[in-house]
Amino acid sequence: MAGTAVRGRLSWQTATVGPVTDETAKVRTLRLEVPDWPGPSAGQHRAGQHVDIRLTADDGYQAERAYSIASAPGEPLAITVERLDDGEVSPYLTEEARAGDQLEVRGPIGGYFVWEPGSDSAGPLLLAAGGSGVVPLRAIVRERSRAGSSVPVRLLYSSRSWQDVIYSSELDFPPDGVRVIYTLTRSQPRLWQGYARRVDEQMLAEVAWPAADRPLAYVCGPTSFVESVAAGLVGLGYPAERVKTERFGATGQ
Ligand SMILES: Cc1cc2nc3c(=O)[nH]c(=O)nc-3n(C[C@H](O)[C@H](O)[C@H](O)COP(=O)(O)OP(=O)(O)OC[C@H]3O[C@@H](n4cnc5c(N)ncnc54)[C@H](O)[C@@H]3O)c2cc1C
């Protein structure tokens, strides 16, 4: 039985694109309907996991990329994709994919960058996102609410500008116990009073829970963002094993 379940998770399945939602000018959320998605209910997964998406061109050329699951366990499977103008896969997902289209999906994948109620038993949660790195952290925040957890959360979210903030309508009204701290690295609205620079050690010292509180940190985004934030947290005394990281790829924030 266990072998069947593992094979099921790792094999490609056909997904039908459901409703799509524009989050920003470059970012879109796509619901994916997968008839044989593993678990007791459709969309069963753990907060923080990802899926692989595979596209096949008319000439048979295939491209696959990883995308974090944007929805909480028990919610319909959704991914949120940022368009890279010179990219192969993200322009299709953000501009061309329509409800009813089919693509292939494999997952859910990942057992390290996951949060479950109880995994924080020793302290509060620090979430740090660069750009679309907010996707799995949003799933964690939603799972916290869904599961009725009261663990205190701080989400430090770095975007280029206010127009680039993903899930802004959701994050502007966070649940009790969740505080969202933005930094806008390239441009800021008039009268902006928040941070206006890349995340640095001073910002982390101001925003992050003190190491003495035994926080658990999840850091996700472009590789350079993740590496500098993780190093900064370790510099503040966070044990490396309590700083979980997920790297999305090239470039900085
Ligand atoms: C575990 C995991 C989860 C991910 N989750 C998400 C997610 O939730 N949402 C999301 O939008 N992306 C996510 N990504 C990134 C995603 O897998 C692709 O790398 C991204 O969509 C670019 O693919 P592409 O085919 O459009 O671009 P490509 O054709 O692969 O690359 C085009 C150009 O962009 C550069 N590039 C590649 N990746 C990135 C990047 N992440 N940021 C900036 N430049 C890049 C390349 O160096 C190249 O120059 C995740 C990656 C990983 C490993």
Side-chain angles (χ1 to χ4, degrees):
M1 260 326 252
T4 310
V6 168
R7 265 200 310 281
R9 268 205 305 280
L10 295 179
S11 59
W12 290 103
Q13 298 179 62
T14 301
T16 304
V17 176
V20 296
T21 308
D22 289 328
E23 305 283 358
T24 73
K26 299 182 79 167
V27 178
R28 220 182 206 196
T29 294
L30 297 93
R31 278 256 304 269
L32 299 176
E33 283 146 22
V34 190
D36 295 326
W37 196 243
S41 65
Q44 192 67 27
H45 58 269
R46 297 159 78 197
Q49 286 188 301
H50 65 275
V51 292
D52 288 337
I53 298 288
R54 183 163 74 180
L55 304 179
T56 305
D58 290 342
D59 64 2
Y61 173 77
Q62 292 188 318
E64 70 184 67
R65 299 288 184 274
Y67 291 98
S68 297
I69 300 175
S71 41
E75 295 179 337
L77 179 65
I79 58 171
T80 300
V81 182
E82 177 179 13
R83 184 181 72 244
L84 301 181
D85 290 328
D86 60 343
E88 218 170 45
V89 170
S90 62
Y92 171 80
L93 294 173
T94 50
E95 290 177 324
E96 290 177 43
R98 298 274 176 275
D101 286 355
Q102 294 197 319
L103 43 76
E104 286 178 290
V105 62
R106 180 171 68 177
I109 298 169
Y112 164 73
F113 194 82
V114 296
W115 178 81
E116 282 167 329
S119 46
D120 45 72
S121 52
L125 274 187
L126 178 74
L127 311 178
S132 55
V134 75
V135 176
L137 306 185
R138 184 252 201 158
I140 290 174
V141 171
R142 290 177 78 97
E143 170 61 353
R144 172 189 175 279
S145 297
R146 206 191 62 91
S149 165
S150 57
V151 62
V153 176
R154 289 181 188 163
L155 166 60
L156 175 59
Y157 179 11
S158 175
S159 299
R160 294 190 171 99
S161 72
W162 188 249
Q163 290 73 28
D164 290 308
V165 171
I166 306 169
Y167 312 132
S168 57
S169 54
E170 196 171 313
L171 297 179
D172 276 353
F173 301 96
D176 280 351
V178 177
R179 192 174 142 222
V180 181
I181 304 104
Y182 297 101
T183 183
L184 304 178
T185 58
R186 300 219 183 145
S187 67
Q188 303 80 31
R190 254 167 48 83
L191 308 179
W192 175 252
Q193 294 190 328
Y195 290 111
R197 60 183 200 271
R198 288 174 173 226
V199 177
D200 55 24
E201 285 175 23
Q202 190 193 332
M203 195 186 299
L204 286 175
E206 289 167 8
V207 169
W209 303 100
D213 291 353
R214 299 235 344 112
L216 183 59
Y218 291 77
V219 185
C220 185
T223 301
S224 58
F225 171 90
V226 171
E227 286 176 359
S228 79
V229 172
L233 292 174
V234 171
L236 288 175
Y238 283 50
E241 67 274 13
R242 292 188 65 81
V243 180
K244 294 177 183 271
T245 56
E246 184 97 287
R247 293 163 176 76
F248 275 8
T251 79
Q253 185 48 36

